[in-house]
Amino acid sequence: MRVRAGIVLIKDHKVALIERHRGDLHYFVFPGGGVDEGESPEQAAIREAMEELGVKVVIKQKVVEVYLGSKSRQIYFLVEQTGGNFGTGTGPEFTNPDADNQDVIKYLPVWMPLEELSWREKVFPADVAKLVLKSVRDGWPEEAIIAFEESM
């Protein structure tokens, strides 16, 4: 099973997301990526925040584990930005030499107002978006939530 680590970064009533375009597809995902061999999910989440967003973060707490069938386990952490400049990520997804190829995914770090999460249909994983809305209103759960989704 592939393990992915992601972050939930909230600032000024906005959440950090990655806007993706691939051909005619347009959607948003929470920043994150695969956990490398010898790396903990926490270390991967911190690394991915720098690669995808250009920001240094500290982990506040694990908030949710999402299982996508038997293919993927995704662990999301609530984080706080401690440095860096949003939008200056230099991960491999930003160094694509074939930007004119429509089959290649294009990435754009964005701040989405929290209220948009309630009506945006293509924010993945959907259970993380729902948890963010609920937790901003009611407070974050003491223990991580476990969620199961069929696919993104």
Side-chain angles (χ1 to χ4, degrees), residues 30-151:
F30 286 84
V35 176
D36 293 338
E37 188 173 330
E39 186 177 50
S40 71
E42 292 86 351
Q43 291 167 325
I46 291 168
R47 175 182 50 77
E48 289 288 343
M50 179 54 75
E51 287 180 4
E52 293 195 350
L53 302 177
V55 296
K56 293 180 183 178
V57 298
V58 294
I59 293 182
K60 296 173 76 174
Q61 71 182 84
K62 180 167 80 169
V63 292
V64 63
E65 286 190 35
V66 179
Y67 291 85
L68 298 172
S70 61
K71 292 190 267 182
S72 176
R73 174 177 162 230
Q74 301 184 359
I75 305 165
Y76 289 87
F77 299 92
L78 180 63
V79 299
E80 182 178 323
Q81 183 177 345
T82 59
N85 293 311
F86 187 86
T88 62
T90 58
E93 50 277 336
F94 297 107
T95 58
N96 174 11
D98 193 11
D100 293 328
N101 183 343
Q102 287 299 310
D103 291 330
V104 174
I105 298 175
K106 295 174 181 67
Y107 296 78
L108 178 65
V110 296
W111 286 109
M112 180 180 286
L114 287 168
E115 59 272 9
E116 281 190 36
L117 283 179
S118 64
W119 58 266
R120 287 271 184 186
E121 292 180 13
K122 295 188 178 183
V123 178
F124 301 111
D127 284 327
V128 178
K130 290 175 191 171
L131 177 65
V132 168
L133 286 172
K134 182 179 182 335
S135 298
V136 166
R137 183 186 67 235
D138 301 337
W140 291 93
E142 288 185 30
E143 294 197 21
I145 303 294
I146 305 295
F148 298 89
E149 289 189 16
E150 288 301 314
S151 65

